[in-house]
Amino acid sequence: MTGSESTVPNPRKADLQKLRGDLAKEVENLKRALKRPAEDIGGDKVWVGKNARAWHRELEGRHRKLGEQVGRLLPVIDAAIRDEPEKVPAAQARSYGSSA
């Protein structure tokens, strides 16, 4: 960057911050996505028997795994935000906008 080139707020950082805000609103919903079906099947109200127990174990495992995976999303985005500079050269910001 030359001394005369102006810098502007980093649009990529702004997009990541927006993504983080949007995702933070949905994290709890995503973590709970399979909770109710797992409870229904495991509670002997909807389905009983050997197959029901097998489905319940499978669904519980998927519910747990989904919660773990969703829990990893915000820290990944936070790290990406930290790695982005506050300001970038104007030309870089323009090229980001045209490639998005």
Side-chain angles (χ1 to χ4, degrees):
M1 176 171 79
T2 63
S4 64
E5 189 173 6
S6 65
T7 59
V8 297
N10 184 345
R12 179 176 162 81
K13 186 167 193 154
D15 283 351
L16 286 168
Q17 289 167 330
K18 181 179 180 332
L19 172 65
R20 195 213 187 276
D22 293 346
L23 183 60
K25 293 174 188 172
E26 294 298 324
V27 163
E28 287 309 310
N29 290 336
L30 290 168
K31 284 183 178 180
R32 291 190 311 257
L34 298 175
K35 183 178 181 182
R36 180 69 188 263
E39 289 173 350
D40 288 349
I41 291 175
D44 293 334
K45 295 176 188 172
V46 176
W47 190 17
V48 296
K50 180 181 171 185
N51 289 338
R53 287 188 298 276
W55 269 76
H56 179 251
R57 283 191 302 273
E58 175 73 18
L59 199 51
E60 280 289 316
R62 289 176 185 254
H63 174 247
R64 186 176 50 257
K65 188 171 186 168
L66 179 63
E68 292 167 1
Q69 291 173 341
V70 167
R72 293 184 192 131
L73 293 174
L74 290 176
V76 168
I77 294 171
D78 289 339
I81 290 170
R82 280 191 306 274
D83 289 345
E84 288 293 326
E86 290 295 323
K87 301 243 180 195
V88 295
Q92 184 179 339
R94 282 190 303 275
S95 73
Y96 173 76
S98 66
S99 66

